[in-house]
Amino acid sequence: MKILTANNYEVFESGTVISFRDEPVTFELAADLKIRFVFRGDQDSPETSFNAINPNELEIIFSNFNNPLGAGNTEPIQLGTLNNKALYLSYRILALVGAQGKTIHYSWYLREGVNNG
């Protein structure tokens, strides 16, 4: 099955994962591509930042994502390429009340014909 969304984004993978005690969650999108979600609580408002570990590994740092109603992006974020297509991410992160974990809803998208330059 192939799921297409508006503007010809192809859903590569979508799902939900629950983190343990705010430990990082690693997505292995291909044998040579890992993206790790890291959670920190060191700021007043939610903020997302990026740390390239190497050309094949990226950390996305979610600071202060502590709202039980959730927070996330409104437009897919382009992160790089996978299978010769542009790779995008959409997410919603909900804090678990009374626990240090997070509920992560994610959708990875691929899109052809995008100029990366």
Side-chain angles (χ1 to χ4, degrees):
M1 173 172 61
K2 185 182 234 184
I3 301 172
L4 297 177
T5 66
N7 296 319
N8 290 320
Y9 290 95
E10 175 187 340
V11 176
F12 174 69
E13 181 72 32
S14 184
T16 300
V17 65
I18 299 172
S19 71
F20 297 101
R21 297 175 302 282
D22 286 341
E23 291 293 323
V25 174
T26 302
F27 294 87
E28 190 171 315
L29 299 171
D32 62 346
L33 179 59
K34 292 181 183 179
I35 299 180
R36 181 176 306 111
F37 287 14
V38 176
F39 301 98
R40 296 192 180 140
D42 55 0
Q43 299 183 9
D44 293 333
S45 60
E47 183 178 296
T48 306
S49 58
F50 303 88
N51 179 29
I53 304 299
N54 60 54
N56 299 322
E57 196 169 347
L58 174 70
E59 278 187 342
I60 303 176
I61 302 161
F62 298 98
S63 297
N64 224 36
F65 276 69
N66 298 320
N67 188 335
L69 299 177
N73 57 336
T74 56
E75 295 287 327
I77 301 169
Q78 185 175 357
L79 296 176
T81 58
L82 178 65
N83 301 332
N84 296 318
K85 297 179 184 178
L87 174 67
Y88 294 83
L89 170 65
S90 285
Y91 59 88
R92 298 288 177 275
I93 300 172
L94 295 81
L96 300 175
V97 178
Q100 290 183 321
K102 306 282 190 257
T103 299
I104 307 161
H105 301 287
Y106 61 88
S107 292
W108 298 99
Y109 302 98
L110 298 176
R111 188 170 177 211
E112 291 191 54
V114 176
N115 182 358
N116 293 327

